[in-house]
Short mmCIF file of all heavy atoms in Angstrom, two decimals:
data_model
loop_
_atom_site.label_atom_id
_atom_site.label_comp_id
_atom_site.label_asym_id
_atom_site.label_seq_id
_atom_site.Cartn_x
_atom_site.Cartn_y
_atom_site.Cartn_z
N SER A 79 119.25 93.43 110.28
CA SER A 79 118.23 93.31 111.34
C SER A 79 117.16 94.36 111.17
O SER A 79 117.23 95.25 110.32
CB SER A 79 118.90 93.48 112.72
OG SER A 79 119.32 94.80 112.89
N ASN A 80 116.16 94.27 112.01
CA ASN A 80 115.10 95.28 112.08
C ASN A 80 115.31 96.09 113.38
O ASN A 80 114.42 96.19 114.20
CB ASN A 80 113.73 94.63 112.07
CG ASN A 80 113.35 94.13 110.66
OD1 ASN A 80 113.17 94.91 109.74
ND2 ASN A 80 113.31 92.81 110.51
N ALA A 81 116.53 96.63 113.51
CA ALA A 81 116.89 97.32 114.76
C ALA A 81 116.18 98.67 114.92
O ALA A 81 116.28 99.28 115.98
CB ALA A 81 118.39 97.49 114.81
N GLY A 82 115.53 99.15 113.86
CA GLY A 82 114.85 100.43 113.97
C GLY A 82 115.30 101.40 112.92
O GLY A 82 116.36 101.24 112.27
N LEU A 83 114.53 102.44 112.77
CA LEU A 83 114.74 103.44 111.71
C LEU A 83 116.06 104.16 111.91
O LEU A 83 116.83 104.35 110.98
CB LEU A 83 113.57 104.43 111.73
CG LEU A 83 113.48 105.45 110.61
CD1 LEU A 83 113.50 104.79 109.25
CD2 LEU A 83 112.22 106.30 110.79
N SER A 84 116.33 104.60 113.14
CA SER A 84 117.55 105.35 113.39
C SER A 84 118.78 104.50 113.11
O SER A 84 119.76 104.95 112.50
CB SER A 84 117.57 105.85 114.83
OG SER A 84 116.56 106.81 115.03
N ALA A 85 118.75 103.24 113.54
CA ALA A 85 119.90 102.34 113.31
C ALA A 85 120.11 102.09 111.80
O ALA A 85 121.25 102.05 111.33
CB ALA A 85 119.68 101.03 114.05
N ALA A 86 119.01 101.92 111.08
CA ALA A 86 119.12 101.70 109.64
C ALA A 86 119.70 102.89 108.92
O ALA A 86 120.57 102.74 108.04
CB ALA A 86 117.73 101.35 109.10
N LEU A 87 119.28 104.09 109.31
CA LEU A 87 119.79 105.28 108.66
C LEU A 87 121.27 105.54 109.04
O LEU A 87 122.04 106.04 108.21
CB LEU A 87 118.94 106.49 109.03
CG LEU A 87 117.57 106.52 108.35
CD1 LEU A 87 116.67 107.58 108.98
CD2 LEU A 87 117.69 106.75 106.85
N THR A 88 121.62 105.21 110.27
CA THR A 88 123.02 105.34 110.67
C THR A 88 123.88 104.41 109.83
O THR A 88 124.97 104.78 109.36
CB THR A 88 123.18 105.04 112.15
OG1 THR A 88 122.38 105.94 112.93
CG2 THR A 88 124.66 105.15 112.59
N LEU A 89 123.41 103.19 109.62
CA LEU A 89 124.15 102.23 108.79
C LEU A 89 124.28 102.77 107.37
O LEU A 89 125.36 102.74 106.76
CB LEU A 89 123.45 100.91 108.80
CG LEU A 89 123.98 99.83 107.81
CD1 LEU A 89 125.42 99.48 108.16
CD2 LEU A 89 123.09 98.58 107.86
N ALA A 90 123.16 103.25 106.80
CA ALA A 90 123.19 103.77 105.43
C ALA A 90 124.12 104.93 105.30
O ALA A 90 124.86 105.07 104.31
CB ALA A 90 121.77 104.14 105.00
N SER A 91 124.14 105.81 106.28
CA SER A 91 125.01 106.98 106.24
C SER A 91 126.48 106.57 106.20
O SER A 91 127.27 107.15 105.49
CB SER A 91 124.76 107.90 107.45
OG SER A 91 123.46 108.46 107.41
N GLY A 92 126.81 105.55 107.01
CA GLY A 92 128.20 105.05 106.99
C GLY A 92 128.57 104.50 105.65
O GLY A 92 129.68 104.77 105.14
N LEU A 93 127.68 103.73 105.04
CA LEU A 93 127.97 103.13 103.72
C LEU A 93 128.13 104.21 102.65
O LEU A 93 129.07 104.13 101.84
CB LEU A 93 126.85 102.18 103.33
CG LEU A 93 126.68 100.92 104.18
CD1 LEU A 93 125.41 100.18 103.78
CD2 LEU A 93 127.90 100.02 104.04
N LEU A 94 127.26 105.21 102.69
CA LEU A 94 127.30 106.25 101.65
C LEU A 94 128.47 107.21 101.88
O LEU A 94 129.00 107.78 100.92
CB LEU A 94 125.97 107.02 101.65
CG LEU A 94 124.78 106.16 101.24
CD1 LEU A 94 123.47 106.96 101.37
CD2 LEU A 94 124.91 105.65 99.80
N SER A 95 128.86 107.40 103.14
CA SER A 95 130.03 108.22 103.41
C SER A 95 131.26 107.64 102.73
O SER A 95 132.11 108.38 102.20
CB SER A 95 130.24 108.32 104.92
OG SER A 95 131.42 109.04 105.21
N ASN A 96 131.37 106.33 102.73
CA ASN A 96 132.50 105.66 102.08
C ASN A 96 132.49 105.92 100.56
O ASN A 96 133.52 105.80 99.92
CB ASN A 96 132.45 104.15 102.34
CG ASN A 96 132.71 103.82 103.80
OD1 ASN A 96 133.37 104.60 104.51
ND2 ASN A 96 132.18 102.70 104.25
N ASP A 97 131.30 106.25 100.03
CA ASP A 97 131.17 106.52 98.61
C ASP A 97 131.26 108.02 98.29
O ASP A 97 130.98 108.42 97.18
CB ASP A 97 129.85 105.97 98.08
CG ASP A 97 129.85 104.44 98.04
OD1 ASP A 97 130.94 103.83 98.10
OD2 ASP A 97 128.76 103.86 97.92
N GLY A 98 131.57 108.82 99.30
CA GLY A 98 131.76 110.24 99.07
C GLY A 98 130.59 111.13 99.37
O GLY A 98 130.63 112.34 99.12
N ALA A 99 129.50 110.59 99.94
CA ALA A 99 128.35 111.41 100.29
C ALA A 99 128.72 112.43 101.35
O ALA A 99 129.38 112.09 102.33
CB ALA A 99 127.19 110.55 100.77
N LYS A 100 128.32 113.67 101.17
CA LYS A 100 128.60 114.75 102.10
C LYS A 100 127.34 115.13 102.91
O LYS A 100 127.42 115.80 103.94
CB LYS A 100 129.09 115.98 101.38
CG LYS A 100 130.35 115.74 100.56
CD LYS A 100 131.50 115.20 101.38
CE LYS A 100 132.77 114.99 100.52
NZ LYS A 100 133.87 114.38 101.30
N GLY A 101 126.19 114.72 102.43
CA GLY A 101 124.92 115.01 103.11
C GLY A 101 123.92 113.95 102.79
O GLY A 101 124.09 113.14 101.87
N ILE A 102 122.84 113.95 103.55
CA ILE A 102 121.81 112.91 103.38
C ILE A 102 120.43 113.50 103.54
O ILE A 102 120.22 114.45 104.33
CB ILE A 102 122.04 111.76 104.38
CG1 ILE A 102 121.33 110.51 103.93
CG2 ILE A 102 121.60 112.16 105.78
CD1 ILE A 102 121.77 109.25 104.65
N LEU A 103 119.52 113.00 102.77
CA LEU A 103 118.10 113.35 102.89
C LEU A 103 117.36 112.05 103.16
O LEU A 103 117.31 111.17 102.31
CB LEU A 103 117.60 114.00 101.61
CG LEU A 103 116.14 114.48 101.60
CD1 LEU A 103 116.01 115.80 100.87
CD2 LEU A 103 115.25 113.43 100.97
N ALA A 104 116.82 111.92 104.37
CA ALA A 104 116.10 110.71 104.77
C ALA A 104 114.61 110.94 104.63
O ALA A 104 114.05 111.88 105.20
CB ALA A 104 116.47 110.34 106.20
N VAL A 105 113.99 110.05 103.86
CA VAL A 105 112.55 110.14 103.65
C VAL A 105 111.94 108.75 103.83
O VAL A 105 112.38 107.79 103.21
CB VAL A 105 112.22 110.63 102.21
CG1 VAL A 105 110.73 110.85 102.04
CG2 VAL A 105 112.99 111.91 101.91
#
Side-chain angles (χ1 to χ4, degrees):
S79 69
N80 285 293
L83 187 56
S84 294
L87 287 169
T88 300
L89 172 62
S91 294
L93 294 172
L94 296 174
S95 176
N96 293 333
D97 289 344
K100 303 302 182 184
I102 199 165
L103 182 142
V105 185

